[in-house]
Amino acid sequence: MSDHPTFVLKGGRVVDARGERLADVVVADGVVRAVGVDLSADRVLDASGCIVAPGLVDVHTHLREPGREEAETVETGARGAALGGYTAILAMPNTTPAIDSAAVVNQVLELGRTAPCDVYTSGAITVDRAGEQLAPMAEMAALGVRVFTDDGAGVQDNRLMRRAMEYATGLGVTLAQHCEDDALCGGGHMHEGEWSARLGIAGQPAEAEELMVMRDIALARLTGCRIHFQHLSTARSVAMVRDAVAAGLPVTAEATPHHFTLTHAECASYDPVFKVNPPLRTEADVAAVRAGLTDGTITAIATDHAPHTPESKELPFDQAPPGMLGLETALALALTELALPLPVLLGAMSWNPAKVAGVDDVHGRPVAEGEPANLCVIDPEITWTVRADAMASRSRNSPYEGRELKGRVRHTILAGEPVVIAGEPQR
Ligand SMILES: [Zn+2]
Protein backbone atom coordinates (compact mmCIF):
# COMPACT_ATOMS: atom_id res chain seq x y z
CA MET A 1 0.00 0.00 0.00
CA SER A 2 2.99 2.30 0.38
CA ASP A 3 3.20 2.57 -3.44
CA HIS A 4 0.07 4.71 -3.46
CA PRO A 5 0.70 8.42 -3.64
CA THR A 6 -0.19 10.80 -0.89
CA PHE A 7 -3.45 12.60 -1.54
CA VAL A 8 -5.86 14.94 0.18
CA LEU A 9 -9.64 14.69 0.36
CA LYS A 10 -10.33 18.39 0.04
CA GLY A 11 -13.24 20.49 1.22
CA GLY A 12 -15.47 17.91 2.84
CA ARG A 13 -17.33 17.51 6.11
CA VAL A 14 -15.98 14.65 8.22
CA VAL A 15 -18.64 12.54 9.95
CA ASP A 16 -17.58 9.66 12.19
CA ALA A 17 -18.36 8.19 15.60
CA ARG A 18 -16.74 11.23 17.22
CA GLY A 19 -19.03 13.75 15.51
CA GLU A 20 -18.96 16.20 12.61
CA ARG A 21 -16.44 18.86 11.52
CA LEU A 22 -15.28 20.60 8.36
CA ALA A 23 -11.83 19.24 7.55
CA ASP A 24 -9.45 18.14 4.83
CA VAL A 25 -8.07 14.62 5.17
CA VAL A 26 -4.56 13.69 4.05
CA VAL A 27 -3.96 10.01 3.28
CA ALA A 28 -0.53 8.41 2.88
CA ASP A 29 0.88 4.90 3.18
CA GLY A 30 -2.50 3.36 3.88
CA VAL A 31 -3.35 5.55 6.85
CA VAL A 32 -4.90 8.90 7.63
CA ARG A 33 -1.88 11.19 7.94
CA ALA A 34 -3.60 14.42 8.95
CA VAL A 35 -7.06 15.89 9.51
CA GLY A 36 -7.46 19.66 9.59
CA VAL A 37 -8.11 22.87 7.71
CA ASP A 38 -6.23 24.03 4.59
CA LEU A 39 -4.20 20.86 4.15
CA SER A 40 -2.51 20.06 0.87
CA ALA A 41 -0.85 17.19 -0.97
CA ASP A 42 0.46 16.44 -4.48
CA ARG A 43 -2.84 14.92 -5.45
CA VAL A 44 -6.28 16.34 -4.64
CA LEU A 45 -9.54 14.39 -4.61
CA ASP A 46 -12.42 16.84 -4.53
CA ALA A 47 -14.70 16.38 -1.54
CA SER A 48 -16.41 19.77 -1.65
CA GLY A 49 -20.05 19.56 -0.65
CA CYS A 50 -19.41 15.99 0.44
CA ILE A 51 -19.38 13.92 3.60
CA VAL A 52 -16.09 12.17 4.38
CA ALA A 53 -16.87 9.10 6.46
CA PRO A 54 -15.39 5.78 7.49
CA GLY A 55 -15.99 3.22 4.73
CA LEU A 56 -19.30 1.40 4.95
CA VAL A 57 -19.46 -2.17 6.25
CA ASP A 58 -22.03 -4.71 5.06
CA VAL A 59 -22.61 -7.65 7.38
CA HIS A 60 -24.86 -9.48 4.92
CA THR A 61 -23.59 -10.03 1.37
CA HIS A 62 -24.25 -13.00 -0.91
CA LEU A 63 -21.31 -13.31 -3.29
CA ARG A 64 -22.40 -16.61 -4.95
CA GLU A 65 -18.84 -17.86 -5.31
CA PRO A 66 -18.08 -20.75 -5.20
CA GLY A 67 -20.86 -22.39 -7.17
CA ARG A 68 -23.04 -19.78 -8.87
CA GLU A 69 -20.53 -17.54 -10.58
CA GLU A 70 -23.03 -16.79 -13.34
CA ALA A 71 -24.97 -14.70 -10.79
CA GLU A 72 -22.02 -13.02 -9.00
CA THR A 73 -18.37 -13.52 -8.16
CA VAL A 74 -16.35 -12.29 -5.23
CA GLU A 75 -14.73 -9.79 -7.61
CA THR A 76 -17.95 -8.38 -9.15
CA GLY A 77 -19.68 -8.27 -5.78
CA ALA A 78 -16.74 -6.46 -4.22
CA ARG A 79 -16.67 -3.96 -7.09
CA GLY A 80 -20.34 -3.19 -6.54
CA ALA A 81 -19.60 -2.85 -2.84
CA ALA A 82 -16.81 -0.34 -3.49
CA LEU A 83 -19.12 1.67 -5.76
CA GLY A 84 -21.67 1.63 -2.96
CA GLY A 85 -19.16 3.06 -0.48
CA TYR A 86 -18.29 -0.21 1.26
CA THR A 87 -14.75 -0.99 2.31
CA ALA A 88 -15.71 -4.26 4.02
CA ILE A 89 -18.31 -6.92 3.34
CA LEU A 90 -19.17 -10.13 5.15
CA ALA A 91 -19.92 -13.01 2.77
CA MET A 92 -22.81 -15.33 3.59
CA PRO A 93 -22.13 -19.08 3.59
CA ASN A 94 -24.93 -20.35 1.32
CA THR A 95 -22.62 -21.06 -1.58
CA THR A 96 -22.02 -24.39 -3.31
CA PRO A 97 -20.30 -25.92 -1.49
CA ALA A 98 -21.39 -24.11 1.66
CA ILE A 99 -18.75 -22.17 3.59
CA ASP A 100 -18.68 -24.74 6.38
CA SER A 101 -15.00 -25.73 6.56
CA ALA A 102 -11.54 -24.22 6.72
CA ALA A 103 -10.97 -25.18 3.08
CA VAL A 104 -13.90 -23.16 1.73
CA VAL A 105 -13.18 -20.26 4.11
CA ASN A 106 -9.66 -20.13 2.69
CA GLN A 107 -10.98 -20.29 -0.86
CA VAL A 108 -13.27 -17.27 -0.36
CA LEU A 109 -10.61 -15.26 1.51
CA GLU A 110 -8.14 -16.00 -1.27
CA LEU A 111 -10.62 -14.83 -3.94
CA GLY A 112 -11.12 -11.64 -1.94
CA ARG A 113 -7.45 -10.78 -1.62
CA THR A 114 -7.32 -8.71 -4.83
CA ALA A 115 -10.87 -7.32 -4.53
CA PRO A 116 -11.50 -3.58 -4.31
CA CYS A 117 -13.04 -4.03 -0.87
CA ASP A 118 -12.04 -6.12 2.14
CA VAL A 119 -13.85 -9.45 1.87
CA TYR A 120 -14.54 -11.26 5.13
CA THR A 121 -16.60 -14.39 5.36
CA SER A 122 -19.02 -15.88 7.79
CA GLY A 123 -19.02 -19.61 8.41
CA ALA A 124 -21.96 -21.97 8.54
CA ILE A 125 -23.28 -23.03 11.94
CA THR A 126 -24.14 -26.52 10.70
CA VAL A 127 -22.57 -28.83 8.13
CA ASP A 128 -23.83 -27.91 4.64
CA ARG A 129 -26.28 -25.56 6.43
CA ALA A 130 -28.47 -28.64 6.77
CA GLY A 131 -29.30 -28.00 10.42
CA GLU A 132 -28.29 -31.48 11.54
CA GLN A 133 -24.78 -31.37 12.95
CA LEU A 134 -22.51 -28.56 14.02
CA ALA A 135 -19.91 -27.37 11.52
CA PRO A 136 -16.24 -27.21 12.64
CA MET A 137 -16.55 -23.66 13.93
CA ALA A 138 -13.23 -23.78 15.80
CA GLU A 139 -11.18 -24.44 12.66
CA MET A 140 -12.98 -21.61 10.86
CA ALA A 141 -12.61 -19.28 13.85
CA ALA A 142 -8.87 -20.03 13.77
CA LEU A 143 -8.83 -18.48 10.27
CA GLY A 144 -10.45 -15.32 11.58
CA VAL A 145 -14.14 -16.10 11.07
CA ARG A 146 -16.02 -14.09 13.70
CA VAL A 147 -19.65 -14.62 12.63
CA PHE A 148 -21.44 -17.90 12.05
CA THR A 149 -24.83 -18.28 10.37
CA ASP A 150 -26.79 -20.73 8.24
CA ASP A 151 -28.24 -17.72 6.40
CA GLY A 152 -30.75 -18.59 3.77
CA ALA A 153 -32.20 -20.77 6.50
CA GLY A 154 -32.52 -20.60 10.25
CA VAL A 155 -31.30 -23.33 12.59
CA GLN A 156 -34.59 -25.14 13.21
CA ASP A 157 -33.66 -27.54 16.00
CA ASN A 158 -33.86 -25.92 19.44
CA ARG A 159 -31.38 -28.24 21.09
CA LEU A 160 -28.84 -27.94 18.28
CA MET A 161 -29.15 -24.14 18.44
CA ARG A 162 -28.48 -24.25 22.17
CA ARG A 163 -25.37 -26.34 21.57
CA ALA A 164 -24.22 -23.99 18.80
CA MET A 165 -24.60 -21.07 21.20
CA GLU A 166 -22.60 -22.81 23.92
CA TYR A 167 -19.88 -23.68 21.41
CA ALA A 168 -19.85 -20.11 20.02
CA THR A 169 -19.64 -18.61 23.50
CA GLY A 170 -16.53 -20.68 24.18
CA LEU A 171 -14.97 -19.50 20.92
CA GLY A 172 -15.89 -15.86 21.54
CA VAL A 173 -17.73 -15.59 18.20
CA THR A 174 -21.16 -14.27 17.27
CA LEU A 175 -24.04 -16.30 15.86
CA ALA A 176 -26.25 -14.57 13.29
CA GLN A 177 -29.70 -15.93 12.61
CA HIS A 178 -31.99 -15.87 9.60
CA CYS A 179 -35.19 -16.23 11.60
CA GLU A 180 -37.68 -18.38 9.77
CA ASP A 181 -39.55 -21.41 11.03
CA ASP A 182 -39.57 -23.77 8.03
CA ALA A 183 -42.61 -25.75 9.06
CA LEU A 184 -44.70 -22.64 9.62
CA CYS A 185 -43.53 -21.05 6.36
CA GLY A 186 -44.79 -24.17 4.63
CA GLY A 187 -43.93 -23.23 1.06
CA GLY A 188 -45.08 -19.61 1.32
CA HIS A 189 -43.70 -17.19 -1.26
CA MET A 190 -44.68 -13.84 0.24
CA HIS A 191 -46.00 -12.32 3.45
CA GLU A 192 -49.25 -13.96 4.57
CA GLY A 193 -51.84 -11.22 4.70
CA GLU A 194 -54.38 -9.29 2.66
CA TRP A 195 -52.18 -9.18 -0.45
CA SER A 196 -51.30 -12.89 -0.49
CA ALA A 197 -55.01 -13.67 -0.17
CA ARG A 198 -55.95 -11.27 -2.95
CA LEU A 199 -53.17 -12.47 -5.29
CA GLY A 200 -53.65 -16.18 -4.61
CA ILE A 201 -49.97 -16.62 -3.69
CA ALA A 202 -49.20 -18.89 -0.73
CA GLY A 203 -48.06 -16.78 2.21
CA GLN A 204 -45.76 -17.16 5.20
CA PRO A 205 -46.96 -15.60 8.44
CA ALA A 206 -44.99 -13.01 10.41
CA GLU A 207 -45.04 -15.52 13.26
CA ALA A 208 -42.61 -17.76 11.31
CA GLU A 209 -39.96 -15.11 11.93
CA GLU A 210 -41.13 -14.06 15.36
CA LEU A 211 -41.07 -17.55 16.89
CA MET A 212 -37.39 -17.91 16.08
CA VAL A 213 -36.56 -14.42 17.35
CA MET A 214 -38.37 -15.33 20.58
CA ARG A 215 -36.54 -18.67 20.88
CA ASP A 216 -33.11 -17.21 20.24
CA ILE A 217 -33.63 -14.44 22.78
CA ALA A 218 -34.53 -17.18 25.28
CA LEU A 219 -31.43 -19.17 24.33
CA ALA A 220 -29.22 -16.08 24.54
CA ARG A 221 -30.49 -15.66 28.09
CA LEU A 222 -29.74 -19.32 28.82
CA THR A 223 -26.27 -19.46 27.27
CA GLY A 224 -24.97 -15.88 27.31
CA CYS A 225 -24.15 -16.21 23.60
CA ARG A 226 -23.99 -13.11 21.41
CA ILE A 227 -26.76 -13.34 18.81
CA HIS A 228 -27.26 -11.06 15.83
CA PHE A 229 -30.67 -11.06 14.18
CA GLN A 230 -30.45 -10.76 10.42
CA HIS A 231 -32.93 -8.78 8.28
CA LEU A 232 -35.52 -8.13 10.99
CA SER A 233 -38.83 -7.54 9.23
CA THR A 234 -41.84 -7.52 11.56
CA ALA A 235 -43.10 -5.07 14.17
CA ARG A 236 -43.24 -7.75 16.88
CA SER A 237 -39.67 -8.91 16.08
CA VAL A 238 -38.48 -5.33 16.58
CA ALA A 239 -40.41 -5.09 19.85
CA MET A 240 -38.91 -8.34 21.17
CA VAL A 241 -35.37 -7.21 20.33
CA ARG A 242 -36.04 -3.85 21.97
CA ASP A 243 -37.07 -5.63 25.20
CA ALA A 244 -34.10 -8.03 25.02
CA VAL A 245 -31.63 -5.16 24.63
CA ALA A 246 -33.28 -3.32 27.53
CA ALA A 247 -32.90 -6.49 29.61
CA GLY A 248 -29.18 -6.41 28.94
CA LEU A 249 -29.01 -9.50 26.75
CA PRO A 250 -26.15 -9.68 24.19
CA VAL A 251 -28.47 -9.15 21.22
CA THR A 252 -28.04 -6.99 18.08
CA ALA A 253 -30.11 -6.68 14.92
CA GLU A 254 -29.93 -5.46 11.35
CA ALA A 255 -32.54 -4.23 8.88
CA THR A 256 -32.36 -4.17 5.09
CA PRO A 257 -33.24 -1.22 2.86
CA HIS A 258 -36.04 -3.22 1.23
CA HIS A 259 -37.66 -3.85 4.60
CA PHE A 260 -37.76 -0.12 5.34
CA THR A 261 -38.80 1.00 1.84
CA LEU A 262 -41.12 -1.61 0.27
CA THR A 263 -44.31 -3.41 1.33
CA HIS A 264 -46.07 -6.62 0.28
CA ALA A 265 -48.30 -4.54 -2.00
CA GLU A 266 -45.38 -4.59 -4.50
CA CYS A 267 -46.10 -8.27 -5.09
CA ALA A 268 -49.33 -7.26 -6.90
CA SER A 269 -47.15 -6.95 -10.01
CA TYR A 270 -46.39 -10.70 -9.74
CA ASP A 271 -42.82 -9.62 -10.53
CA PRO A 272 -40.37 -11.98 -8.75
CA VAL A 273 -37.96 -9.06 -8.33
CA PHE A 274 -40.09 -8.34 -5.23
CA LYS A 275 -39.72 -11.88 -3.90
CA VAL A 276 -37.36 -12.02 -0.94
CA ASN A 277 -36.91 -13.83 2.39
CA PRO A 278 -38.05 -12.69 4.87
CA PRO A 279 -40.79 -11.30 2.63
CA LEU A 280 -41.84 -7.69 2.19
CA ARG A 281 -44.31 -6.97 4.97
CA THR A 282 -47.05 -4.48 5.85
CA GLU A 283 -46.86 -0.71 6.16
CA ALA A 284 -47.01 -1.09 9.95
CA ASP A 285 -44.00 -3.42 9.84
CA VAL A 286 -42.06 -0.95 7.67
CA ALA A 287 -42.87 1.79 10.17
CA ALA A 288 -41.71 -0.42 13.05
CA VAL A 289 -38.41 -1.22 11.32
CA ARG A 290 -37.85 2.52 10.77
CA ALA A 291 -38.69 3.21 14.41
CA GLY A 292 -36.24 0.49 15.44
CA LEU A 293 -33.48 2.19 13.45
CA THR A 294 -34.40 5.56 14.92
CA ASP A 295 -34.35 4.46 18.56
CA GLY A 296 -31.27 2.25 18.19
CA THR A 297 -32.99 -1.11 18.66
CA ILE A 298 -31.70 -2.00 15.20
CA THR A 299 -28.07 -0.90 15.10
CA ALA A 300 -27.14 -1.94 11.57
CA ILE A 301 -28.40 -1.50 8.03
CA ALA A 302 -27.37 -4.56 6.00
CA THR A 303 -27.97 -5.11 2.30
CA ASP A 304 -28.78 -8.84 2.06
CA HIS A 305 -27.38 -8.31 -1.46
CA ALA A 306 -28.67 -11.45 -3.20
CA PRO A 307 -27.88 -11.62 -6.92
CA HIS A 308 -29.86 -13.94 -9.18
CA THR A 309 -29.51 -14.36 -12.94
CA PRO A 310 -32.22 -12.89 -15.19
CA GLU A 311 -33.20 -16.42 -16.23
CA SER A 312 -33.98 -17.47 -12.66
CA LYS A 313 -35.81 -14.22 -11.84
CA GLU A 314 -37.95 -14.55 -14.99
CA LEU A 315 -39.60 -17.68 -13.59
CA PRO A 316 -43.15 -17.41 -12.23
CA PHE A 317 -43.37 -15.84 -8.75
CA ASP A 318 -43.79 -19.16 -6.94
CA GLN A 319 -40.78 -20.72 -8.71
CA ALA A 320 -38.30 -17.83 -8.71
CA PRO A 321 -35.60 -17.71 -6.01
CA PRO A 322 -35.91 -15.05 -3.29
CA GLY A 323 -33.45 -12.15 -3.14
CA MET A 324 -32.60 -8.65 -4.37
CA LEU A 325 -29.49 -6.66 -5.25
CA GLY A 326 -28.52 -4.15 -2.60
CA LEU A 327 -24.89 -3.01 -2.51
CA GLU A 328 -25.16 -0.09 -4.93
CA THR A 329 -28.46 1.31 -3.65
CA ALA A 330 -28.36 0.85 0.14
CA LEU A 331 -26.71 4.15 1.06
CA ALA A 332 -28.87 6.23 -1.28
CA LEU A 333 -32.05 4.53 -0.03
CA ALA A 334 -31.08 5.26 3.56
CA LEU A 335 -30.25 8.89 2.73
CA THR A 336 -33.41 9.35 0.65
CA GLU A 337 -35.93 7.45 2.78
CA LEU A 338 -34.79 7.70 6.39
CA ALA A 339 -34.97 10.91 8.38
CA LEU A 340 -32.00 9.87 10.51
CA PRO A 341 -29.30 12.28 11.68
CA LEU A 342 -26.16 11.61 9.61
CA PRO A 343 -24.07 10.24 12.49
CA VAL A 344 -26.85 7.77 13.30
CA LEU A 345 -27.31 6.72 9.67
CA LEU A 346 -23.58 6.32 9.07
CA GLY A 347 -23.20 4.53 12.40
CA ALA A 348 -25.77 2.01 11.20
CA MET A 349 -23.85 1.53 7.94
CA SER A 350 -20.26 1.67 9.18
CA TRP A 351 -19.06 1.54 12.76
CA ASN A 352 -21.93 -0.48 14.25
CA PRO A 353 -21.81 -3.27 11.65
CA ALA A 354 -18.00 -3.20 11.90
CA LYS A 355 -18.44 -4.23 15.54
CA VAL A 356 -20.95 -6.96 14.66
CA ALA A 357 -18.54 -8.37 12.07
CA GLY A 358 -15.60 -8.13 14.48
CA VAL A 359 -13.63 -5.93 12.05
CA ASP A 360 -13.79 -2.70 14.05
CA ASP A 361 -10.01 -2.71 14.50
CA VAL A 362 -9.68 -1.77 10.81
CA HIS A 363 -13.11 -0.55 9.62
CA GLY A 364 -15.55 2.03 10.93
CA ARG A 365 -12.66 3.78 12.66
CA PRO A 366 -12.67 7.48 13.49
CA VAL A 367 -11.26 9.67 10.72
CA ALA A 368 -8.16 10.60 12.67
CA GLU A 369 -4.39 10.65 12.34
CA GLY A 370 -2.85 7.19 12.30
CA GLU A 371 -6.09 5.33 11.63
CA PRO A 372 -6.41 2.92 8.65
CA ALA A 373 -7.57 4.88 5.60
CA ASN A 374 -10.76 2.97 4.83
CA LEU A 375 -13.03 5.83 3.84
CA CYS A 376 -15.92 6.86 1.63
CA VAL A 377 -16.79 10.28 0.28
CA ILE A 378 -20.50 10.82 -0.21
CA ASP A 379 -22.25 13.53 -2.19
CA PRO A 380 -25.51 13.83 -0.22
CA GLU A 381 -27.28 16.19 -2.65
CA ILE A 382 -26.80 14.55 -6.04
CA THR A 383 -29.86 12.83 -7.51
CA TRP A 384 -29.60 9.83 -9.79
CA THR A 385 -31.79 7.15 -11.31
CA VAL A 386 -31.30 3.46 -10.49
CA ARG A 387 -30.35 1.41 -13.56
CA ALA A 388 -29.54 -2.22 -12.84
CA ASP A 389 -27.74 -2.63 -16.16
CA ALA A 390 -25.27 0.06 -15.07
CA MET A 391 -24.34 -1.83 -11.89
CA ALA A 392 -21.17 -3.84 -11.35
CA SER A 393 -23.16 -6.91 -10.36
CA ARG A 394 -23.46 -9.80 -12.79
CA SER A 395 -27.18 -9.85 -11.98
CA ARG A 396 -29.94 -7.30 -12.58
CA ASN A 397 -32.52 -8.05 -9.89
CA SER A 398 -32.92 -4.61 -8.33
CA PRO A 399 -36.44 -3.80 -7.15
CA TYR A 400 -35.62 -0.09 -7.47
CA GLU A 401 -35.15 0.05 -11.25
CA GLY A 402 -36.03 3.53 -12.48
CA ARG A 403 -36.35 5.02 -9.01
CA GLU A 404 -34.81 8.44 -8.41
CA LEU A 405 -32.60 8.55 -5.31
CA LYS A 406 -30.67 11.26 -3.54
CA GLY A 407 -27.06 10.82 -2.43
CA ARG A 408 -24.25 8.85 -4.01
CA VAL A 409 -20.69 7.79 -3.37
CA ARG A 410 -18.07 9.93 -5.05
CA HIS A 411 -14.85 8.27 -3.87
CA THR A 412 -14.02 5.10 -1.94
CA ILE A 413 -10.62 4.64 -0.31
CA LEU A 414 -9.44 1.15 0.64
CA ALA A 415 -6.32 0.90 2.79
CA GLY A 416 -5.16 4.24 1.43
CA GLU A 417 -5.85 3.42 -2.22
CA PRO A 418 -8.62 5.24 -4.10
CA VAL A 419 -10.59 2.29 -5.53
CA VAL A 420 -13.46 4.51 -6.71
CA ILE A 421 -12.82 8.06 -7.97
CA ALA A 422 -15.69 10.32 -9.06
CA GLY A 423 -17.99 7.30 -9.16
CA GLU A 424 -15.67 5.27 -11.40
CA PRO A 425 -14.06 1.99 -10.32
CA GLN A 426 -10.26 2.15 -10.49
CA ARG A 427 -9.76 -1.64 -10.54
ZN1 LIG B 1 -31.27 -14.47 5.21
Side-chain angles (χ1 to χ4, degrees), residues 20-323:
E20 302 185 46
R21 61 258 178 221
L22 289 169
D24 300 332
V25 178
V26 175
V27 173
D29 299 324
V31 300
V32 173
R33 183 54 57 79
V35 181
V37 289
D38 287 332
L39 300 180
S40 57
D42 292 345
R43 186 178 186 192
V44 176
L45 292 184
D46 180 25
S48 54
C50 288
I51 297 152
V52 178
L56 308 184
V57 177
D58 187 26
V59 288
H60 199 139
T61 313
H62 296 277
L63 291 171
R64 305 304 189 207
E65 191 175 27
R68 273 193 286 154
E69 290 82 357
E70 71 280 8
E72 198 77 289
T73 65
V74 171
E75 187 196 345
T76 59
R79 190 173 305 134
L83 287 166
Y86 292 91
T87 54
I89 54 178
L90 183 68
M92 291 294 107
N94 59 335
T95 49
T96 311
I99 306 172
D100 64 355
S101 68
V104 188
V105 166
N106 271 326
Q107 184 184 353
V108 172
L109 295 179
E110 191 56 42
L111 287 165
R113 238 173 273 288
T114 53
C117 152
D118 278 348
V119 176
Y120 299 90
T121 187
S122 60
I125 296 171
T126 67
V127 173
D128 200 27
R129 302 172 43 254
E132 286 164 8
Q133 72 186 94
L134 292 182
M137 285 196 263
E139 69 173 44
M140 291 187 271
L143 295 172
V145 176
R146 288 290 166 265
V147 177
F148 291 85
T149 174
D150 275 0
D151 185 53
V155 177
Q156 303 295 310
D157 185 279
N158 299 341
R159 183 163 167 272
L160 188 65
M161 190 61 197
R162 177 191 179 171
R163 284 180 48 221
M165 284 179 149
E166 288 166 348
Y167 193 16
T169 305
L171 293 171
V173 298
T174 298
L175 296 189
Q177 189 79 283
H178 168 122
C179 290
E180 188 176 309
D181 183 286
D182 286 349
L184 205 51
C185 280
H189 301 288
M190 64 176 290
H191 173 69
E192 182 180 308
E194 57 167 309
W195 278 104
S196 65
R198 208 180 296 181
L199 299 171
I201 296 174
Q204 41 178 288
E207 285 76 4
E209 172 177 311
E210 292 155 1
L211 279 172
M212 197 171 282
V213 172
M214 185 188 294
R215 179 201 69 180
D216 285 355
I217 289 171
L219 292 178
R221 187 181 294 115
L222 179 64
T223 63
C225 181
R226 276 202 308 277
I227 179 99
H228 175 72
F229 291 111
Q230 299 175 293
H231 42 47
L232 223 53
S233 73
T234 87
R236 284 183 298 264
S237 292
V238 176
M240 286 189 281
V241 170
R242 184 176 289 118
D243 289 348
V245 171
L249 295 174
V251 166
T252 55
E254 69 187 34
T256 69
H258 46 272
H259 288 120
F260 63 70
T261 58
L262 303 173
T263 73
H264 58 161
E266 302 284 356
C267 300
S269 64
Y270 288 98
D271 186 340
V273 81
F274 297 108
K275 182 175 179 179
V276 65
N277 271 345
L280 302 177
R281 305 281 189 187
T282 67
E283 279 179 32
D285 293 315
V286 168
V289 168
R290 288 178 177 225
L293 283 162
T294 302
D295 73 12
T297 298
I298 300 168
T299 58
I301 294 170
T303 67
D304 195 4
H305 178 81
H308 290 290
T309 60
E311 298 72 47
S312 64
K313 273 293 193 184
E314 277 159 15
L315 293 167
F317 200 94
D318 60 351
Q319 291 167 39

Side-chain angles (χ1 to χ4, degrees), residues 17 57 59 147 174 226 350-360 363-364:
V57 177
V59 288
V147 177
T174 298
R226 276 202 308 277
S350 177
W351 46 97
N352 297 341
K355 287 194 191 86
V356 172
V359 301
D360 53 323
H363 293 276

